[in-house]
Amino acid sequence: MYLAAQDPTLADFGKDPWWLVLIKILFAFVFGLLATLLGVWFERRVVGFMQVRPGPNQVGPFGLLQTLADGLKMAFKEDILPKAADKVVYFFAPVISVVCAVTALSVIPFGPMVSIFGHRTPLQVTDVSVAVLVLLACSSLAVYGIVLGGWASGSTYPLLGGLRSTAQMISYEVAMGLSIVAVFMTAGTMSTSGIVAKQGDATQLTVLGTEIPAPGWYAILLLPSFIIFFIAIVGETNRAPFDLPEAESELVAGFMTEYSSLKFALFMLSEYVAMVSMSAVTVTLFLGGWRAPWPITIWEGANSGWWPMLWFFGKVIMLVFVFVWLRGTLPRLRYDQFMRLGWKVLLPINLVWILVLAGLRSIEDWESRDRLLVTAIGAGVLLLATLLWPSRKKAPKPTVQEQVNSRPHGSYPLPPMDLQVPPSPRTKRVVAEREPANVAAGSDSREV
């Protein structure tokens, strides 16, 4: 039975019977696990295609059961517990990472109001007036799984990897949180269902007295926030090119070095669950949620019944493909480059963009002529500030002789610049010139 397209409100939640709530919770959990299993297979197949190789294609049709086979293989591997590990924390650290990633799906709207066994209910587990803060809390708590996993292992390398990962996730948590502020300001609500409903209304732009309908997706209206948010979630989920916790050449797989068997599988699972969850959050906040894209909206029933779930899954798969695409394309960044990008580039741009957006929101009630004049003046000032901003010129590099002259007294001796190595002053050698020896042996004497 299909109902007319209707956006759920906060009043529609909390009225479901207990068995329907269990069905929704089970659906969200199964979606997270299946999306993870298929996501691993999808990533290996796509990266194989990019690298001109087949990828997994032996276990099951098209290799679909390869991930399941890998999971069973991990389950039967020996579970090694380090001698110096904190057993309780060592066990619960990977569980924390998985639970936080799956919990984020509880406030994600998968579709509009539908009828399930005669009960009219939204396709969403639950929603609150501050649902986006719940998403941020789940993302922040995932840091504990990583830092506790590195600390509880009782080894130096996992501890260093956990500290690096924690600094990475906290740094990009700030940029991610600020990029969502623009969504709050535009939508006027923190409810995920309310944000999706706001994106369903076309934005009317007035140009020279003529109203022109514009897309309602915040990925277009708030493009700087969308770009910063997506870069931040790539760093938040420790995905390439920001997969610094797993820099094998530096940290021996990072915070999960001492983990094996199912515990290692849980850490790997949490990464892919977080990737799917963050893709779903991006779809909800910036890509219209479960609403169909423009060409499909010509059909009146595109946003009715169970069809919106198909559009939602399609958008999530598209974003997961972008995650995989980045991994197969970009090299890993150095740690200092990564932190510089988060604190010195994304954060200032985010703050300036929020100020600009707040200024535009404050003059919405003005006359169109006054708004155009103020906007033009502000754009001109911003352009002049960008062009006239003093650039930091690098100091001229001193010559080799100047570097030698500036060395303090008592420094280590320098090798000669002409590559002629003098004899060591500590070794005394008597170098005698060897002359040919002449031995007289009668008339047939000769030089030997």
Side-chain angles (χ1 to χ4, degrees):
M1 176 180 178
Y2 295 104
L3 300 174
Q6 180 180 355
D7 295 289
T9 61
L10 292 178
D12 296 320
F13 294 92
K15 301 179 180 179
D16 298 329
W18 63 270
W19 56 267
L20 187 54
V21 175
L22 289 180
I23 290 177
K24 289 184 178 181
I25 294 175
L26 183 62
F27 171 78
F29 182 74
V30 171
F31 166 72
L33 292 185
L34 287 181
T36 301
L37 293 176
L38 295 177
V40 177
W41 169 84
F42 180 75
E43 179 176 19
R44 297 173 69 179
R45 291 284 292 188
V46 172
V47 173
F49 175 78
M50 292 179 178
Q51 297 175 350
V52 196
R53 55 184 179 82
N57 60 354
Q58 298 297 318
V59 185
F62 305 104
L64 285 170
L65 300 179
Q66 182 65 55
T67 306
L68 182 60
D70 292 341
L72 293 176
K73 179 183 67 174
M74 289 184 182
F76 286 102
K77 281 183 175 293
E78 182 182 3
D79 190 5
I80 301 174
L81 178 65
K83 185 177 181 180
D86 188 316
K87 296 182 180 180
V88 177
V89 181
Y90 180 84
F91 175 78
F92 280 104
V95 178
I96 293 174
S97 298
V98 176
V99 170
C100 291
V102 176
T103 305
L105 296 174
S106 61
V107 292
I108 297 296
F110 294 92
M113 300 289 294
V114 296
S115 178
I116 301 178
F117 299 115
H119 291 270
R120 192 163 175 267
T121 180
L123 280 176
Q124 185 175 353
V125 177
T126 186
D127 194 11
V128 291
S129 57
V130 289
V132 180
L133 296 185
V134 175
L135 297 174
L136 290 177
C138 293
S139 177
S140 301
L141 288 175
V143 178
Y144 286 95
I146 291 178
V147 69
L148 291 178
W151 172 80
S153 297
S155 179
T156 304
Y157 279 117
L159 179 61
L160 293 176
L163 293 176
R164 284 165 58 109
S165 305
T166 304
Q168 169 180 335
M169 297 180 71
I170 292 176
S171 301
Y172 279 74
E173 190 83 24
V174 177
M176 185 177 69
L178 286 177
S179 60
I180 302 178
V181 173
V183 177
F184 298 160
M185 295 170 59
T186 307
T189 179
M190 293 185 184
S191 167
T192 50
S193 58
I195 292 174
V196 174
K198 290 293 184 180
Q199 295 181 75
D201 302 328
T203 305
Q204 300 295 329
L205 298 179
T206 304
V207 179
L208 300 177
T210 304
E211 289 190 354
I212 302 176
W217 288 8
Y218 293 152
I220 300 175
L221 300 177
L222 307 174
L223 183 61
S225 296
F226 172 67
I227 295 175
I228 294 174
F229 181 82
F230 191 77
I231 295 175
I233 65 173
V234 175
E236 181 77 9
T237 53
N238 297 326
R239 294 285 303 179
F242 305 143
D243 56 339
L244 300 178
E246 299 175 3
E248 294 88 354
S249 60
E250 303 173 12
L251 293 177
V252 198
F255 59 91
M256 62 184 73
T257 300
E258 301 292 344
Y259 280 87
S260 59
S261 189
L262 282 179
K263 297 182 182 66
F264 175 81
L266 285 177
F267 267 128
M268 189 183 71
L269 182 70
S270 65
E271 176 183 333
Y272 284 90
V273 174
M275 181 175 65
V276 175
S277 301
M278 284 302 172
S279 298
V281 172
T282 307
V283 170
T284 301
L285 298 182
F286 293 97
L287 297 179
W290 46 263
R291 294 186 174 274
W294 168 71
I296 307 176
T297 52
I298 300 175
W299 174 39
E300 294 182 357
N303 293 323
S304 302
W306 297 87
W307 286 105
M309 190 181 294
L310 180 62
W311 320 137
F312 178 82
F313 290 159
K315 295 175 184 178
V316 171
I317 293 174
M318 179 191 68
L319 287 181
V320 171
F321 171 77
V322 176
F323 273 94
V324 177
W325 190 6
L326 292 176
R327 176 174 182 176
T329 305
L330 300 178
R332 179 184 293 127
L333 270 69
R334 287 201 323 262
Y335 191 76
D336 60 318
Q337 295 173 335
F338 178 70
M339 301 301 286
R340 187 184 303 117
L341 175 65
W343 289 103
K344 293 187 177 181
V345 178
L346 297 185
L347 190 60
I349 293 177
N350 223 334
L351 292 174
V352 172
W353 165 242
I354 291 175
L355 291 176
V356 171
L357 184 62
L360 294 177
R361 296 283 294 178
S362 64
I363 63 174
E364 280 184 345
D365 299 332
W366 293 12
E367 296 292 335
S368 58
R369 182 177 179 180
D370 296 337
R371 282 186 299 173
L372 183 62
L373 179 61
V374 171
T375 305
I377 293 176
V381 171
L382 185 61
L383 181 62
L384 287 176
T386 304
L387 295 177
L388 301 179
W389 191 267
S391 60
R392 184 174 59 182
K393 296 182 179 179
K394 294 183 179 181
K397 187 176 181 180
T399 62
V400 177
Q401 189 60 41
E402 291 175 348
Q403 296 180 27
V404 173
N405 297 336
S406 63
R407 285 165 53 83
H409 179 70
S411 300
Y412 286 99
L414 285 176
M417 297 296 102
D418 55 359
L419 300 182
Q420 295 294 329
V421 181
S424 174
R426 297 180 181 180
T427 304
K428 296 182 179 180
R429 296 181 178 179
V430 178
V431 181
E433 295 184 359
R434 185 176 181 181
E435 299 180 355
N438 296 327
V439 180
S443 60
D444 56 347
S445 64
R446 58 180 181 178
E447 183 180 323
V448 295

